[in-house]
Amino acid sequence: MTLPNTMKAMVLTGHGGLDKLEWREDVPVPRPGVGEVLIRVGASALNNTDVNTRTGWYSKAVRGDTNAAGTTGYDGASDADGAWSGALSFPRIQGADCCGKIVAVGEAVDKARIGARVLVRPMHRPAGGDAKALVTFGSERDGGFAQFTTVDSAHALRIDSPLSDVELASFPCAFSTAEGMIQRAELTAERVLITGASGGVGSAAVQLAKRRGAHVTAVTSPGKASALEALGADVVLSRDGALPAEAFDVVLDLVGGPRWPALLDALAVGGRYAASGAIAGPIVELDLRTFYLKDLTLVGSTRQAPEVFTDLVDYIERGEIRPILADTYPLREMRAAQEAFLGKTHMGKIGIEITG
């Protein structure tokens, strides 16, 4: 195909409120570098990290929950550490999720890849980089909130599925985050507690834990209980209710906040706790006696081994997991999509269609 010189994109111009999201129709179409592919984006989706990065919530200056200033940004957020790997370069095209087709390739990439339908691995280490380095699609490099995007060829995985682009775009960030937590916690057919279970990562974790044969207890608001049971949750508890003591082998936590000590109390002796979010607040109180007297293991989960995403693609192609789309917005209506996202009345993901 003949590539245009410019494209439409939603551009983040700095940390702050929704006004920092700027619709543009004159963004230069990127060209793939050595080892890269150019993707015509079919769809993306919203994630907590899109909002958190915009507001600067990752800054150590911020101590509140992720929703408190979701529309306005956080006072005191620092440009020096406002993204999860530190400073962010602006302007930036966000969007950790991406489903699309390869339309051009850079040097050293097989031209046979052109035309392939792909999902982008959202979190990876840079080519030839340190094993601890982290590149997040839509953060450290431009992502899927645009008509075209580039990525290293190795991180554009071919997908063979009857699902639509927007359905497929609901998987990468949320499901790889959940699968990363599950693999880090070495979850098997055990008793697992999942907080924030109605969100994108939480609802993904419910499905992924069930495919391992786990007994799943999901924590959410009462109005979403039946939907989580339909996903496979064995028990649904209210997020405001008490948790049973020493009832779980594993806790997958996306919430944090003031009720965090109860999660450790709910773990059995030798239990494992894994976290990949703190939507209720990042500052928690830890009683070290609970930690060491119960021989607990606490695991942080952000970086992912390459097989996490390849496993996920396999699950999708085999039909073992399904997308959970609450709603879909066109890219130009990103501000409205984020306002809906911040309302937290939905379950699963909000999709973003890329058209034009």
Side-chain angles (χ1 to χ4, degrees), residues 6-68:
T6 59
M7 66 179 181
K8 300 172 184 176
M10 186 60 68
V11 177
L12 181 66
T13 60
H15 295 302
L18 290 168
D19 60 303
K20 296 296 185 179
L21 294 170
E22 182 179 301
W23 175 251
R24 290 180 54 188
E25 299 186 1
D26 61 350
V27 177
V29 172
R31 295 302 191 257
V34 177
E36 293 184 337
V37 296
L38 176 68
I39 300 169
R40 184 178 183 94
V41 182
S44 185
L46 269 177
N47 294 281
N48 276 308
T49 189
D50 297 313
V51 175
N52 296 346
T53 297
R54 171 177 58 75
T55 62
W57 180 82
Y58 294 109
S59 171
K60 294 293 186 182
V62 176
R63 299 174 68 87
D65 65 78
T66 60
N67 253 37

Side-chain angles (χ1 to χ4, degrees), residues 215-256:
H215 182 278
V216 174
T217 298
V219 180
T220 189
S221 56
K224 299 172 183 176
S226 60
L228 283 168
E229 289 168 351
L231 273 185
D234 298 287
V235 177
V236 180
L237 300 177
S238 170
R239 64 188 179 193
D240 298 320
L243 298 176
E246 300 193 352
F248 305 100
D249 304 296
V250 174
V251 167
L252 303 178
D253 183 27
L254 304 158
V255 175

